[in-house]
Amino acid sequence: MKTGIIVSRRDSLRLGLLTGASALLPAAARPANVRGGSVPSTPVRWIDDAAPPLSLGQTFGVPWPQGALRAGVALSVKDAEGKALPSQHWPLATWPDGSLKWTAHALPAGDTPSASMTVVQGKPVAPPAPVLLRETADRIVITVGSVQWTIGTSGNSIIHSAKAGERTVMGSLALIASVDSAPQGGERSHFTGRIDKATVEQKGPVRAVVKLEGMHEGQGRAWLPFVVRLYAYAGADHLRVVHSFIFDGDPARDFISGLGLQAQVPIDAAPHDRHVRISTGADALFSEAVRPLTGLRRDPGAAARKAQIAGQAVAIDAMAPTVRNLLGRIPTWGDFTLSQLSADGFTITKRTKAGQAWIDATSGTRSQGLGYVGSPTGGVAIAARYFWQRHPAQIDISGADTDQASLTAWLWSSNAQPMDMRPYRDVMGMEAYAAQNEGLDITYEDYEPGWDSATGAARTSELTLWACAATPDAAHLAAMAQANATPPQLMVTPERIHAADVLGIWSLPDRSSPLKARIEDQLVNLVDFYAEEVDRRGWYGFWNHGDVMHTYDEDRHVWRYDIGGYAWANSELSPDLWLWYDVLRSGRARAFRLAEAMTRHTGEVDVYHLGRFAGLGTRHGVQHWSDSSKQPRVSNAAYRRIFYYLTGDERVGDLMRALVPSDQALTHVEIGRKVPGAERKTLPEGVVDFSFGTVWGSLAAAWLTEWERTGDVRWRDRLVAGMDSIGRLKYGWLAGSAPYDLKSGRFIGPGDNISISHLNAVFGAFEVNAELLQLIDVPRYRAAWLDYCRWFNASPQEWEAHFSLPFGKRNLKEGHSRLTAYVARETGDAALSTRAAREFLGGEAGLGLSDGDPRVAHSGPDFVGPTVEWPGVSTNAASQWGLAAIQNLALIPDALEWAAAEKRN
């Protein structure tokens, strides 16, 4: 099996230089080389290593080697016994020769999924009851078996109704919000979602997707833009709901006091046959009737009690007369509230009706966030993923004693303090750049008045909505809650992904020697450490969940949550990439879910989706938006694309597509405006100074992904223009940055100064370049990149002998060892391989494996890793060490052994 990527020059693009100011474009795309009849069999596994008790429907991505699969070839999915399963597939990305690079596959929902599966060539099998989608002038109707959903295309009802059989079990479902004019004691205004656009993105037979876009309106105002996607799977009585909104208010005046989805639930049953179910934890359920028959002074009879607890109809005639004749004297409970105001505590309260006192029912730690209301003839359940992790959250059931109950899933609890998006600090006399740079010097926070705004941040939530033909039994409700809280996920095996030669340079786990085993142990340990640290440190909350902290305070024994740029990581030095590459090579559920939560966070919360900063992300800080440095290095599509290709997630696809034109934001947001002593160059209109790694490399990830997804050669040509123009600079990548013409996509100027930043290659530039050089042949760019890789970690003596220039400051030597390893592999230079291994094992400006490194704690003679008592690592160090380990094991595995032996001797 290959390790890493070997660039095939035979298949490379031919380049021709056009006259004038036009870009260098390929004369033609690679010749097609699609081999018929050679589609590799693809094993697929559950990331939890076992089939779940219930799957709510599956979508997963499959990579294909270049030339292995032509467009239009039918694919099928077989179970562990070789039986064809109902499936549906579609392309996600193509290779330059037009062959498919990634496909997505959907499987139906069900309670008996296969333990493993295989994707093979062949006509897919249709489900017994396919998903049927019908569009009318003002409705979209989705039918799955006996369940029918009527979806709005305009107005205030996201869903007009849901039927289970012939009975309407749900009326209108709407998006609701409220905002207070002050954080405490303000006037409250109410808003309802209004659909402005409806798009059918996919029609069955296994999966259908509807995208709804609009605003929340009320009080003469329209705001809080939303995108809601509704997913229907064959075999399901539910819709998956992906809800995204943007905060576009004024943080000083708009304090969101409620944000949720509210369904109307018609109920035609006696009060004792009306049922409320709330998930209180794994396999734990709060189960009550609106009018309870248990615990009374008089016994209605065992059959009546048993039926009510099971959610079944209780025949009045079967009740003991001592209860039947006094039913009207038993209070009916119309309203129930599950309130999760922290990650470690929830309460359930209930009352008979408005105007009466609330009664404490029960409490606990972490609810799974499912609520149900209905009767033996049907009802509705809704569950919010990350319910307790994204507190304050809430489930309300009201009017359960009336003909129409309402069921509300609050993404921001209406019982909590309003959402406060104001800056955490005032100006503190830092109106001018000089004072702001002093602040940066002491707290590592880049502050500028007005640049710490939360306006434009977004959040995506995932929910499941069920239309139930009857009240589900306790076991099934528990399975529903669990499947929503921790969704089962299929993933192609790491070995098969690696064989497809996609997503750059990475290694499969290798424990063939003590050194490699030790590195592998450290990789596992670091992921486990961060996964556990999330819970130990309580890195939860609506806006915080999914991120980790930047640096540990070894004196206070806390992470530096309140110290400027040392607080939330906001993708600093690519923890997103480290975790996703760990997922690719290991397939571990813990790594997958940690990376997934981070992707849901960093692509939404840390990035601006409208306004003057749209398309840019925010540097690390005390609040996710508090630092004034707004850069593409944070909004970077490289951090999203692995999740997208593994899952086919449409929302993340939207986020990456929105970044394609984000270079235009830099015409009015100057990243280097406050650098002390920097030369202020006057550039022509439409020309902006770009660094090659943190800016152009981040934008290149978006253009690369768009080219792969659409086949639109405009984005290939833009990549080629940038690559060729960097290669034409005197010092190439070593110049660090250059003026960039936004229209042509080319760097201009001589590039005759060397400027090396330790940040340039650690925000995905290494990973993106590995893919660009695999796909596009620009010889002068390849030479410029290899030059940068060769010289970044060179010794001062070698540098000064070659360039006759001062060596200058370097940092992150350990992380940059993979650059040395890359040029060593590409050139076959054994001395460079050994140098790269020494750099990696030396631990300089990184995590290190050295027994003498005081920042690393030991739990055994052959095991190295941080512990709770002494983390000893920053997220920067962990991320870069993890990436360097994964990539060096692919590039220089033998040299690592030689260097380790040399060190021992």
Side-chain angles (χ1 to χ4, degrees):
M1 183 179 295
K2 291 184 291 183
T3 59
I5 294 173
I6 303 297
V7 177
S8 173
R9 302 184 70 81
R10 177 189 59 195
D11 293 331
S12 49
L13 298 171
R14 302 295 181 186
L15 304 177
L17 182 61
L18 303 182
T19 59
S22 57
L24 185 71
L25 301 175
R30 293 183 182 178
N33 181 30
V34 184
R35 303 185 297 273
S38 61
V39 177
S41 175
T42 300
V44 184
R45 54 178 283 277
W46 299 99
I47 62 173
D48 291 295
D49 294 321
L54 174 67
S55 171
L56 299 178
Q58 283 291 309
T59 301
F60 61 93
V62 176
W64 302 96
Q66 181 164 326
L69 182 67
R70 67 182 184 273
V73 171
L75 298 171
S76 179
V77 180
K78 292 186 177 182
D79 66 14
E81 286 71 46
K83 178 183 175 182
L85 298 171
S87 65
Q88 175 180 328
H89 65 276
W90 59 97
L92 290 179
T94 59
W95 290 97
D97 66 0
S99 63
L100 292 178
K101 189 172 188 178
W102 286 90
T103 54
H105 299 254
L107 298 176
D111 56 5
T112 56
S114 176
S116 62
M117 280 147 264
T118 307
V119 177
V120 297
Q121 185 172 346
K123 185 177 180 181
V125 174
V131 178
L132 303 175
L133 186 147
R134 177 170 54 90
E135 297 180 73
T136 68
D138 61 350
R139 300 284 192 278
I140 297 170
V141 180
I142 296 178
T143 303
V144 184
S146 61
V147 177
Q148 183 181 91
W149 305 88
T150 301
I151 299 166
T153 58
S154 61
N156 299 122
S157 291
I158 300 299
I159 300 174
H160 287 277
S161 65
K163 286 186 175 181
E166 296 300 316
R167 184 171 182 273
T168 297
V169 296
M170 189 184 82
S172 171
L173 180 135
L175 305 183
I176 58 173
S178 62
V179 62
D180 289 7
S181 59
Q184 292 180 334
E187 181 179 348
R188 180 161 295 188
S189 302
H190 297 275
F191 300 85
T192 305
R194 179 198 69 215
I195 301 171
D196 295 328
K197 182 180 180 181
T199 306
V200 174
E201 293 187 321
Q202 196 171 56
K203 296 184 179 181
V206 172
R207 181 185 190 257
V209 185
V210 176
K211 179 182 181 181
L212 305 175
E213 300 169 79
M215 308 283 282
H216 291 75
E217 63 178 2
Q219 313 297 316
R221 179 186 187 187
W223 74 311
L224 295 179
F226 69 81
V227 175
V228 169
R229 277 189 171 88
L230 304 173
Y231 295 79
Y233 284 87
D237 59 354
H238 69 271
L239 292 179
R240 180 172 182 249
V241 182
V242 178
H243 170 286
S244 307
F245 85 100
I246 303 173
F247 177 78
D248 63 337
D250 180 347
R253 297 188 304 167
D254 294 318
F255 300 87
I256 294 176
S257 51
L259 184 72
L261 297 83
Q262 186 172 80
Q264 304 305 314
V265 185
I267 305 179
D268 182 14
H272 58 264
D273 282 338
R274 297 167 180 241
H275 300 285
V276 169
R277 303 287 187 264
I278 297 173
S279 172
T280 55
D283 300 322
L285 207 61
F286 174 85
S287 302
E288 293 206 357
V290 169
R291 175 179 283 160
L293 297 178
T294 64
L296 299 172
R297 184 178 183 188
R298 306 303 178 191
D299 186 4
R305 287 185 279 108
K306 182 178 180 181
Q308 188 179 69
I309 292 298
Q312 300 167 357
V314 178
I316 292 214
D317 291 344
M319 284 188 207
T322 52
V323 174
R324 181 176 65 235
N325 296 335
L326 297 174
L327 284 175
R329 300 303 182 192
I330 303 172
T332 57
W333 300 89
D335 301 340
F336 298 77
T337 290
L338 162 67
S339 186
Q340 181 93 46
L341 300 185
S342 77
D344 297 311
F346 71 80
T347 60
I348 297 178
T349 57
K350 67 180 186 178
R351 68 181 179 183
T352 55
K353 60 182 179 181
Q356 305 302 136
W358 288 94
I359 302 299
D360 294 332
T362 190
S363 63
T365 54
R366 295 172 171 177
S367 168
Q368 289 186 312
L370 178 143
Y372 166 87
V373 61
S375 73
T377 58
V380 177
I382 194 166
R385 189 182 182 193
Y386 299 131
F387 184 77
W388 58 267
Q389 294 96 327
R390 294 203 186 159
H391 63 82
Q394 187 170 311
I395 299 286
D396 277 352
I397 296 167
S398 59
D401 57 338
T402 67
D403 291 341
Q404 181 165 272
S406 67
L407 173 62
T408 307
W410 292 104
L411 305 174
W412 185 277
S413 167
S414 60
N415 285 351
Q417 289 292 320
M419 188 185 295
D420 193 343
M421 308 290 279
R422 295 174 296 177
Y424 80 97
R425 44 155 305 157
D426 61 16
V427 178
M428 293 178 59
M430 292 190 287
E431 288 84 359
Y433 286 172
Q436 293 162 24
N437 283 323
E438 290 174 351
L440 177 63
D441 188 53
I442 188 64
T443 67
Y444 202 29
E445 179 179 65
D446 190 356
Y447 172 79
E448 185 169 338
W451 287 56
D452 53 354
S453 173
T455 302
R459 198 46 151 153
T460 287
S461 301
E462 302 164 74
L463 306 96
T464 308
L465 176 70
W466 287 267
C468 304
T471 298
D473 63 33
H476 190 63
L477 277 165
M480 290 160 56
Q482 179 62 29
N484 176 81
T486 309
Q489 180 64 50
L490 287 169
M491 177 179 160
V492 172
T493 60
E495 294 78 11
R496 172 63 178 76
I497 299 174
H498 193 265
D501 210 6
V502 293
L503 298 172
I505 296 170
W506 51 282
S507 58
L508 292 169
D510 181 0
R511 296 180 177 274
S512 60
S513 73
L515 172 69
K516 292 174 184 175
R518 195 174 180 206
I519 293 172
E520 296 292 349
D521 285 344
Q522 179 77 318
L523 286 166
V524 171
N525 187 60
L526 278 175
V527 172
D528 288 348
F529 169 74
Y530 273 92
E532 292 161 8
E533 197 74 346
V534 167
D535 199 51
R536 282 190 291 259
R537 306 295 176 175
W539 292 339
Y540 298 122
F542 184 83
W543 291 108
N544 294 336
H545 176 247
D547 205 355
V548 297
M549 287 278 170
H550 183 288
T551 305
Y552 194 71
D553 185 331
E554 296 173 0
D555 295 305
R556 286 188 291 173
H557 289 290
V558 295
W559 292 80
R560 303 184 199 178
Y561 69 95
D562 57 347
I563 305 295
Y566 291 110
W568 292 112
N570 281 34
S571 296
E572 181 71 358
L573 270 63
S574 306
D576 320 58
L577 277 178
W578 158 48
L579 292 174
W580 278 121
Y581 277 105
D582 191 273
V583 170
L584 288 177
R585 69 195 305 269
S586 73
R588 283 210 304 157
R590 173 172 262 189
F592 188 104
R593 294 196 172 102
L594 184 62
E596 179 184 18
M598 184 172 289
T599 300
R600 288 292 187 209
H601 173 95
T602 57
E604 304 271 8
V605 180
D606 299 344
V607 175
Y608 287 92
H609 304 269
L610 49 75
R612 60 174 170 166
F613 302 132
L616 305 179
T618 303
R619 178 182 177 267
H620 42 104
V622 173
Q623 290 169 296
H624 299 286
W625 42 79
S626 60
D627 197 277
S628 73
S629 179
K630 313 299 183 184
Q631 298 200 32
R633 77 189 208 195
V634 180
S635 56
N636 202 336
Y639 300 152
R640 332 286 172 221
R641 61 199 300 268
I642 296 177
F643 176 65
Y644 173 75
Y645 286 133
L646 291 180
T647 66
D649 185 87
E650 283 82 2
R651 173 60 181 173
V652 169
D654 286 352
L655 297 176
M656 294 191 297
R657 180 154 291 152
L659 297 174
V660 169
S662 61
D663 54 348
Q664 302 301 312
L666 297 174
T667 61
H668 55 269
V669 179
E670 185 190 350
I671 294 172
R673 66 196 180 281
K674 296 194 294 187
V675 177
E679 181 183 353
R680 316 311 299 164
K681 296 179 180 178
T682 301
L683 298 174
E685 185 176 353
V687 176
V688 180
D689 195 71
F690 269 23
S691 69
F692 301 150
T694 55
V695 176
W696 185 83
S698 301
L699 295 165
W703 301 330
L704 167 62
T705 308
E706 190 69 3
W707 173 34
E708 289 183 323
R709 291 176 65 190
T710 66
D712 189 335
V713 297
R714 287 181 300 162
W715 308 115
R716 174 203 65 192
D717 295 347
R718 194 163 188 84
L719 291 165
V720 170
M723 294 167 71
D724 177 72
S725 57
I726 290 174
R728 290 178 182 273
L729 301 176
K730 178 179 179 180
Y731 287 116
W733 251 82
L734 291 167
S737 67
Y740 181 81
D741 178 38
L742 291 166
K743 184 175 181 180
S744 68
R746 297 184 65 82
F747 289 92
I748 58 178
D752 54 359
N753 290 314
I754 291 179
S755 177
I756 293 181
S757 167
H758 65 285
L759 298 179
N760 230 358
V762 294
F763 285 87
F766 177 87
E767 291 74 17
V768 168
N769 272 315
E771 294 198 61
L772 290 178
L773 293 174
Q774 177 192 23
L775 299 172
I776 302 173
D777 186 17
V778 182
R780 58 173 55 95
Y781 180 79
R782 181 176 185 273
W785 174 244
L786 292 182
D787 224 30
Y788 186 81
C789 292
R790 177 187 300 272
W791 291 108
F792 185 94
N793 267 350
S795 70
Q797 296 78 16
E798 292 172 312
W799 172 274
E800 291 169 5
H802 182 81
F803 290 102
S804 300
L805 293 170
F807 181 66
K809 184 180 179 181
R810 299 288 193 275
N811 198 359
L812 304 175
K813 187 172 186 177
E814 183 182 78
H816 282 86
S817 66
R818 65 192 195 274
L819 275 68
T820 311
Y822 181 79
V823 68
R825 197 279 303 270
E826 291 296 294
T827 61
D829 190 323
L832 280 175
S833 294
T834 302
R835 193 190 97 187
R838 289 170 179 159
E839 292 165 0
F840 176 67
L841 295 175
E844 183 178 331
L847 177 63
L849 283 171
S850 170
D851 287 342
D853 191 333
R855 295 166 298 167
V856 180
H858 297 257
S859 57
D862 297 314
F863 185 78
V864 177
T867 65
V868 184
E869 294 77 19
W870 190 264
V873 297
S874 70
T875 299
N876 289 2
S879 302
Q880 286 301 300
W881 184 89
L883 284 166
I886 290 167
Q887 289 153 354
N888 284 337
L889 283 169
L891 292 166
I892 52 165
D894 294 335
L896 290 173
E897 298 286 359
W898 300 333
E902 175 188 67
K903 193 173 182 180
R904 286 194 298 270
N905 295 330

